[in-house]
Each structure stands twice: as C-alpha cells, then as structure tokens.
Amino acid sequence: MSDPDEIAVVGAGLAGCLLACFLARRGLRVALYERRPDPRTGAVERGRSINLALSERGLDALRRIGLDKQVMADALPMRGRVIHPVHGELDFQPYSHDGQRAINSISRSALNNALLTAAAEQPGVRIAFDHRLTGLDPRTGEMTYETPQGVVQEKAAVVLGADGAGSAVRAQLLAHAGLTESLDFLDYGYKELRIPARDGEFALAPDALHIWPRGTSMMIALPNPDRSFTCTLFWPNSGTSSFASIGSPAAIERHFTEHYPDLIELAPTLVEDYRHNPVGLLGTVRCTPWHVGGTAALIGDAAHAIVPFYGQGANCAFEDVVELDRCLDETAGDWTRALPLYEERRRDNTEAIAKMALANFVEMRDKVASPVFQLQKKVEHALERALPGRYVSRYELVSFSTVPYAQVWRRVRRQHRVVGAAVGAGALLAVGALLKGRRGA
Ligand code: FAD
C-alpha cells in the first residue's frame, strides 16, 4: 500500500539499501522497491561479480551507519597486486608506500544482504520485493510496477532511482523529462571463473589481488572467505582472439594452456565454468540531468556506471549517498534544493573516476608487467616516503582516502608535471655532465 508522503527508492542493490538506511535515519518514511525476490532467501544471480573490492570511500559510508565492523568481519584485505607472467616468477607490488594499506575483498551478496537487513530494521522502511518498475511520472511521483500478482500503481513524494546501470528510472526520465544519456560500451566483456580451495587452503596468496596482464586481455582474481578465488577474465567480445573465437573444450584448454598456464592446474572446472558462465557487458553511462526538480533523481550506477578497473563503482555509489544526505542536511531537508546541489557536487567527481577507471584498464592489462612501470612505482613510493603528505600516488588517493575524485585527478596531473619536470631537469644535468666528461676525455 503506497503512501504519497513516502520517499521511494527503486532498486535494493548496494546504493538503494544504503540510501534507505540514511533516509530512515533522518526520520523519513521510505519504500524500497526491488524487481528480484528477497536475495536473502534465494540463490545468487549468476553473472554478476561475486566479490568486489571495498576501499576507504565505501567504508566511510558504512561507518556512518555503524555497519563497517560487521561487513569487515568477513573481508579479506589485499595489500598489493601479484603479477602472474606467462612464464617466470610471480611479482608482488604493494599498493601503498608502507605496504600496509589494503583494499578489501568482500562478497557482493553478503554486503547486499547486510545492507538489506540494516534497511529492513530501520523504523519507517518497507521493502517491496518482486516489484519491477516499468512506468514513472517524474513530476507526480506516480509509479507502475510489474509484480507476480499483476500490475500495481504506487505514488511517492520523491522517487530515487538506484536501479543500476540499465536503470528503468533513467529510461523513464529519458522518455518524460528531457534527460539525455550516452552509453559507451567497451568492445571487451568479462567472464567469471573459479579457483577452488586446495586441501582446504587458498591456492594462491590470499592477501593480494592477482593479475594476469596479457596485453589485449587480462584476468584478475580476488579471494573469497571459503578460500576460493573468483577470477574475472576481460577479453574482447569479437575478433581472432576473443570470447567469440573459442567455444569447444579443446580450444578453451589450448587457449588457457598457452596464455594462462598456471591456471590450468589451479582451476579444475575451468572448461565447465568458461562454457557456462555468461559474458558480462562493460561500459560507461553518462546522463544529464540526474534530477527532475525536487521529485526524482538518479544515484549510483543508474546515474554514472563506470568500468570496473579501479574497483570503485560501489565505493562511488556509496559516496553519492553520503553526499545526498549532506545536501539534505544543508538544505534542511528541502528536496528542491538538495537534489540540484547533490548533482552539482557529484558530477565532476563521477566523471573523474570514470576517466581514471578507463585509464586503469590500460595500466592493469599492459603496464603492470613492464620493468619501466615497476620502476615508476618504486620511484613513486620513494617520493611518498620522502615527501609525506605532499606526494601521494593516484592509487592511494583513490583507494585509501575520501579526497574528491576530481581533486585527485587534478592533483595527480600536477604531481606528474612536477616530477616530469624534475626528471627532465635531472636528465639534462646528467646528459650535461656526460658531455662535459666526454669533452674532457
Ligand atoms: P546495482 O548494484 O546494480 O543495484 C541495482 C538494483 O536495482 C538491483 O538490485 C536490481 O535488481 C534493481 N533493479 C534493476 N532494475 C529494476 C527495476 N526496473 N525495478 C526495481 N528494481 C530494479 N565496484 C567496486 O566498488 N569495487 C569492485 O571491485 C567492483 N568490481 C566490479 C566488477 C565487475 C565485473 C562489475 C561489473 C562491477 C564491479 N563494481 C565494483 C561496480 C559495482 O558492482 C557497481 O558500481 C554497484 O553494484 C552499483 O550499485 P547500484 O546499487 O548503483 O546498482
């Protein structure tokens, strides 16, 4: 039964559940609508990332609702990357200059369920599962949902779309409120594979994110609490070396033996996983505006989905929620002022992380294996130690701080210019000294 004074949150994913908690803490009545059945009672959807990396921005949001300790109890800290070359030794590259800071591998479903339970326990929150939004009048707050019992009409004072990258709320704003969008899909997809526990133990070092950089393709693996690893293979969708180019068990085995030889032994169900697991899409969603007056808005992936190469999509969605809550504080709960303020403050930041996430794909796929990159990282960590607080790497600013992404982007460009100039000046001095030495010789 809908209540026209309620705030409707569409989508009980990561952003939607967190948002419901924040709004309920303000004393608002919230209706959380989710197209799926209650995930706490059913099987996990296949094809969505099984685990994800939670870092400081996400943790900061969880701390504000007192959920950080519960979520972190099952987290597996990853202090750096382990690079798997085709042949040769593994190489550990710490994420921070002191080797201590870590991003955290978390089960997506456990995180979602913890947030869902936290939302359900808040007074004033009701959750309607099996409700798929199919229609919305953004100015009146009238919504249409498909449910197993048939079509139902609901109404709310404000409708917030937290319904993910393929957002139905965004589609409704596109149809009825002059929103424009751009969807930039990569010609890469992703597929999940599994490395099970070996003799009850992790088959690889559990305190790191594992990367197999292969130039045009790449695979990563994150540890799970059951001592398995979930691998994600990123590969072009079509072409001579792509998801489309292999299908038979023999071809799959041949491909992995050639390019990922250590995986063959680690992943006994590789061929089966490869054949059964779907290929997911990767892309960047941009749209404008994110809000319609004070009655409708988008949040999280619905407003700005990004590619997953910085492990920041969910962290960024959580920051949206914190910022919207702050805007409601600053406007005394006036939605007509809070929604534009939220959009103004978040837009540049989400654009900056979208760009950094794309850049990180090139870094992970190509650069991490190169000796030049490894030297650069060592120089960067030395600079961080020599100039504490004055030189901070992009990775640390993105993953271990809450400095707004747009500021990170500008600061890192400045740092690179200064270091580039210093290296250039150093190189000139070195060349000068060399020439002088030659002339003298
Ligand atoms: P979602 O999590 O997609 O939730 C949307 C919810 O809305 C879902 O529950 C859905 O069922 C519901 N819904 C959809 N349509 C409707 C409808 N019509 N009516 C009602 N409900 C609806 N982020 C990180 O921070 N770290 C990582 O390491 C990371 N790794 C990733 C790896 C991969 C391969 C991918 C694809 C993404 C990764 N991300 C990561 C990104 C992260 O998953 C997303 O940014 C995050 O899930 C966004 O949360 P959301 O709540 O906005 O959307």
Side-chain angles (χ1 to χ4, degrees), residues 169-225:
V169 174
R170 191 175 72 240
Q172 292 298 311
L173 301 191
L174 191 72
H176 305 298
L179 173 143
T180 56
E181 68 173 10
S182 78
L183 314 177
D184 293 322
F185 289 106
L186 289 188
D187 45 12
Y188 277 75
Y190 74 93
K191 188 188 274 282
E192 293 198 332
L193 305 167
R194 184 166 181 272
I195 297 177
R198 202 161 49 183
D199 302 327
E201 289 305 322
F202 286 104
L204 296 169
D207 58 348
L209 185 150
H210 293 259
I211 308 187
W212 288 256
R214 295 294 182 264
T216 53
S217 70
M218 165 179 97
M219 191 171 67
I220 62 170
L222 275 71
N224 296 313

Side-chain angles (χ1 to χ4, degrees), residues 19 22-23 26 28 64 160 290-291 293-294 297-299 318-347 349:
L19 180 57
F22 271 77
L23 296 178
R26 307 187 67 81
L28 295 168
R64 291 167 191 261
L160 301 169
W290 292 351
H291 73 97
L298 300 170
I299 196 158
F318 283 4
E319 263 195 339
D320 282 358
V321 173
V322 172
E323 190 60 62
L324 177 55
D325 187 56
R326 193 176 290 133
C327 293
L328 284 166
D329 267 348
E330 289 174 23
T331 57
D334 175 357
W335 289 92
T336 52
R337 287 191 294 138
L339 292 181
L341 190 59
Y342 146 76
E343 177 169 350
E344 187 190 312
R345 290 193 181 160
R346 289 302 288 158
R347 182 171 285 284
N349 291 314

